[in-house]
Amino acid sequence: MNAPFKTPADPLDAPQWDLSDLYASREDARIETDLARARALVGDLNGLQGQLIAAQGEPAVLGERLDRAITLYEQASDVLGGLGAYAFLSASTNRNDAGAQGFEATVREKLTAIATPTIWVTLEINQLDEAAVEAALVAHPAAARWSPWLRRTRAMKPHELSQEMETFLAERGPISAQWPRLFDETLAAMKVKVAKEELTLAEALNRLSDPKGAKRRAAAEGLDEALGARASTMALVLNTVAADKALEDRWRGFKRPADGRHLSNEVHGESVDAMAEAVAAAYPVLSHRYYALKAKVLGKPKLDQWDRNAPLETTAPRGWDWAQGRSLVLESFADLGDEFAGRAQGFFDKPWIDGRARPGKQSGAYAHPVTSDRHPYVFLNWMGERRDVLTLAHELGHGVHQTLAAGQGSLLADTPLTLAETASIFAEGLTFDRLLKTAPEAEKRGLLAGRIEDGLNTVVRQIAFHRFETRFHDERAKGEVPVERIGEIWLEEMGGSLGPAVTLNPGYEHWWSYVSHFVHSPFYVYAYAFGDLLVAALMETRAKDPAGFTPLYRELLAGGGSKGYVEALAPFGLNPRDPAFWTIGTKRLERLIDQFEALV
């Protein structure tokens, strides 16, 4: 009889973060002090209203006023950003605490009330002639540092509305945010019944990687029931979020639901479509082929959907305690140099990581940048599995990226999604390479399978999510989409991506309802595939000259959002506008499947 899966040490070894660098508690007097400071900065900024247009014929004066206005705008954003971050970070570990949720909502409303009067800044900047802006940056060189932010701001010009409408939309924001709040609180409160246990969502999803098929099936069937019971509520949330977005998109003149996201990512929709089509065309040689091989290894004619991430061996896979995971990840960061390892080490020392899984904590993982004058925080649910080690590396990659870019200031450190996943996926890849290199021979086939599955989950699965999301929003434009139809679209896209070797069992039609990005950040998901394929090209470049790669890579990360992705990749000799660029990543994943097939 196989032993049940256990980690070498209790997952409670994982830390909880210390948010006192932000505020000591919800009652901290500094909160009111900072609200007052933000109001004062906004008051100073609003004193400049109308003065940009008035100086349009005086380049030096306009340059000085632009510099002053954007500096005040950033300073106010930093104060408000710290307050908002504290409220969100506190709430994300306490989704069953009504006080924490109410505090987050109240803070959001206060921040909106303070920030909304600054809407004139971007509107007035976009009333300036292009020639006047260029002349002002030359005449007052200190203002030239804002060029990338001005470029992004002015790209929105065709889609801006009147000041009254922009004010209305901003003031409506906290109310619209109640739908994602309902989504989060519903999932955080959900208990998944598995045999005689009651699991959280994160625990139940983790059980899908159990070496025993019966346990995976029980967890999946528990999720079927729990998600199915809430599907109508989640369908209402998704329909409302989509309708709200469509209303704003229509006013702004966006023709397709994803156009606003593409604009903020500084990427053309045609490029994203080409990437999605390239990945979908590769389904047969990637996911379809791999899952057929996996079914063969597991001795099954077809995989059930709960077998998708099953370990290949029925014996307990290696578990990782927190100290082991931390050591491996830090060693992997050191492969890029001492600076990268040192920056990552700081997250453990402070501590800036919340890794401990516990009731009320929302599922998933993220790295929150807070603001450039503070420091990021990392959030994950540590269960002691290989995937948790890679998730830790992923989120620390974000965190190190955020610390490197902080020197740009908050407005310029903010990275478009086309580059935002670069450091995270790169760190994950380095960590896996070290895992594979140091693993006993008997473990290598299972590790290779895990790496392929991670690649499929990041590229194939996220593109399937993107296609599902696109189809849902297109149908929502014609009217509310019933929960049954949402499930049909989900099964069609997931079935197409997984292929004929995977059975989508009854109940799986509800599993769209736990994917938070659909509610929190519509059309975010393609960034994962974009980042993975981009990183594959970078890793191929690094393999040719590791020493020469590191300084270029550091410069890319430290640049934050000061360069678009095409410009940022030019020093590596990479051109993402070339369709062949995207095949580098799919071919790399295909080679891993070749290696796996040789071991079957």
Side-chain angles (χ1 to χ4, degrees):
M1 177 180 254
N2 294 318
F5 173 77
K6 290 183 180 179
T7 60
D10 194 315
L12 289 178
D13 285 349
Q16 294 179 244
W17 54 29
D18 178 2
L19 298 180
S20 61
D21 284 353
L22 296 173
Y23 300 98
S25 70
R26 299 198 294 265
E27 291 75 36
D28 193 327
R30 290 180 298 165
I31 292 175
E32 288 302 322
T33 299
D34 283 349
L35 286 168
R37 185 156 62 100
R39 292 187 188 98
L41 286 165
V42 167
D44 290 344
L45 173 60
N46 289 346
L48 294 170
Q49 186 170 2
Q51 294 189 27
L52 304 182
I53 290 291
Q56 190 161 213
E58 304 174 79
V61 176
L62 177 57
E64 188 277 329
R65 290 179 182 176
L66 278 171
D67 188 26
R68 173 68 174 154
I70 300 171
T71 298
L72 285 168
Y73 187 86
E74 181 176 65
Q75 290 172 348
S77 297
D78 281 343
V79 179
L80 297 174
L83 287 158
Y86 177 73
F88 169 76
L89 294 168
S90 299
S92 66
T93 56
N94 294 285
R95 288 297 177 197
N96 57 359
D97 180 346
Q101 306 314 303
F103 177 75
E104 182 186 21
T106 299
V107 167
R108 188 184 298 120
E109 290 174 2
K110 289 181 177 180
L111 301 189
T112 299
I114 295 170
T116 298
T118 68
I119 281 172
W120 69 269
V121 176
T122 55
L123 293 174
E124 189 164 329
I125 285 172
N126 282 340
Q127 292 176 44
L128 299 171
D129 294 335
E130 190 66 35
V133 173
E134 291 177 4
L137 300 187
V138 172
H140 188 77
R145 70 178 299 264
W146 302 114
S147 294
W149 184 81
L150 286 166
R151 182 189 70 236
R152 295 200 298 271
T153 297
R154 291 176 73 76
M156 188 64 183
K157 182 176 181 177
H159 305 286
E160 283 184 336
L161 305 174
S162 68
Q163 186 163 341
E164 290 78 10
M165 278 298 298
E166 294 288 357
T167 300
F168 167 74
L169 290 173
E171 291 180 345
R172 189 189 62 171
I175 300 169
S176 299
Q178 297 305 303
W179 292 102
R181 175 185 174 183
L182 173 61
F183 176 92
D184 288 340
E185 292 184 13
T186 300
L187 290 182
M190 186 173 77
K191 297 297 182 184
V192 182
K193 294 180 180 178
V194 180
K196 296 180 180 180
E197 298 179 273
E198 280 194 344
L199 304 180
T200 64
L201 173 61
E203 290 168 338
L205 292 171
N206 183 68
R207 190 70 62 86
L208 298 175
S209 299
D210 194 278
K212 290 189 175 181
K215 288 192 173 183
R216 296 194 301 272
R217 177 172 183 168
E221 291 177 345
L223 283 163
D224 292 340
E225 181 180 354
L227 294 172
R230 294 156 180 81
S232 294
T233 298
M234 297 314 215
L236 174 61
V237 171
L238 193 62
N239 269 283
T240 305
V241 167
D244 193 43
K245 182 182 185 306
L247 178 63
E248 183 173 337
D249 284 351
R250 185 163 63 251
W251 276 87
R252 293 195 181 282
F254 289 122
K255 293 183 171 55
R256 299 170 62 194
D259 282 352
R261 179 69 68 186
H262 297 332
L263 183 64
S264 65
N265 286 343
E266 298 186 90
V267 64
H268 292 103
E270 293 80 4
S271 298
V272 176
D273 292 343
M275 177 189 67
E277 289 166 11
V279 172
Y283 285 171
V285 297
L286 297 178
S287 47
H288 296 187
R289 177 185 169 207
Y290 172 74
Y291 290 122
L293 290 168
K294 184 168 185 176
K296 180 180 176 182
V297 171
L298 294 181
K300 302 183 70 169
K302 294 181 69 174
L303 299 176
D304 291 296
Q305 70 90 359
W306 52 75
D307 297 323
R308 191 169 55 82
N309 292 321
L312 297 184
E313 311 300 335
T314 55
T315 53
R318 179 183 178 184
W320 298 79
D321 65 25
W322 181 254
Q324 291 169 328
R326 177 183 61 202
S327 295
L328 182 77
V329 169
L330 288 174
E331 289 167 5
S332 303
F333 275 74
D335 289 340
L336 283 171
D338 292 342
E339 181 187 8
F340 284 87
R343 287 178 180 271
Q345 179 72 54
F347 283 80
F348 296 98
D349 293 342
K350 302 304 182 182
W352 298 341
I353 302 175
D354 197 298
R356 189 177 304 176
R358 54 196 185 274
K361 183 177 179 180
Q362 69 186 47
S363 62
Y366 63 77
H368 196 302
V370 188
T371 58
S372 65
D373 60 345
R374 293 178 175 86
H375 59 76
Y377 285 91
V378 162
F379 173 105
L380 69 155
N381 286 273
W382 180 267
M383 300 287 182
E385 294 195 6
R386 175 194 60 85
R387 281 191 177 84
D388 297 320
V389 177
L390 296 177
T391 297
L392 176 61
H394 182 104
E395 300 306 339
L396 274 176
H398 278 307
V400 169
H401 187 181
Q402 289 157 1
T403 65
L404 281 166
Q408 298 284 344
S410 294
L411 294 183
L412 299 181
D414 187 30
T415 308
L417 294 183
T418 43
L419 288 173
E421 292 298 330
T422 302
S424 55
I425 296 172
F426 199 96
E428 194 176 334
L430 286 176
T431 303
F432 172 78
D433 288 347
R434 180 168 285 273
L435 262 175
L436 187 63
K437 183 178 178 181
T438 58
E441 202 62 37
E443 292 183 14
K444 288 191 174 180
R445 187 178 72 163
L447 281 172
L448 186 60
R451 183 69 185 104
I452 292 167
E453 289 166 17
D454 289 342
L456 294 177
N457 287 336
T458 304
V459 177
V460 169
R461 187 168 172 80
Q462 299 303 323
I463 289 301
F465 282 1
H466 176 67
R467 289 161 65 94
F468 160 79
E469 196 171 16
T470 300
R471 288 181 60 188
F472 167 76
H473 279 261
D474 286 346
E475 291 201 16
R476 182 64 183 89
K478 303 169 188 173
E480 185 162 312
V481 184
V483 64
E484 296 80 10
R485 177 58 184 155
I486 299 175
E488 289 173 2
I489 301 171
W490 173 257
L491 291 178
E492 288 167 10
E493 290 301 332
M494 294 305 107
S497 68
L498 295 170
V502 179
T503 298
L504 300 184
N505 310 86
Y508 189 66
E509 66 272 16
H510 305 306
W511 285 44
W512 55 268
S513 62
Y514 80 83
V515 182
S516 62
H517 285 104
F518 296 155
V519 172
H520 282 276
S521 307
F523 298 98
Y524 184 106
V525 291
Y526 75 74
Y528 289 110
F530 196 107
D532 193 276
L533 297 173
L534 188 155
V535 164
L538 286 174
M539 294 196 86
E540 293 285 311
T541 302
R542 179 178 181 266
K544 299 171 186 174
D545 180 14
F549 176 86
T550 295
L552 293 177
Y553 182 64
R554 187 198 185 284
E555 184 180 350
L556 182 150
L557 300 185
S562 63
K563 295 179 181 178
Y565 71 103
V566 174
E567 184 185 0
L569 291 175
F572 300 91
L574 297 171
N575 178 14
R577 288 177 173 161
D578 182 351
F581 173 84
W582 301 110
T583 66
I584 298 173
T586 57
K587 292 294 183 185
R588 183 181 173 91
L589 186 52
E590 192 175 348
R591 288 199 300 273
L592 290 175
I593 298 172
D594 291 341
Q595 293 175 40
F596 179 77
E597 186 171 25
L599 298 174
V600 172

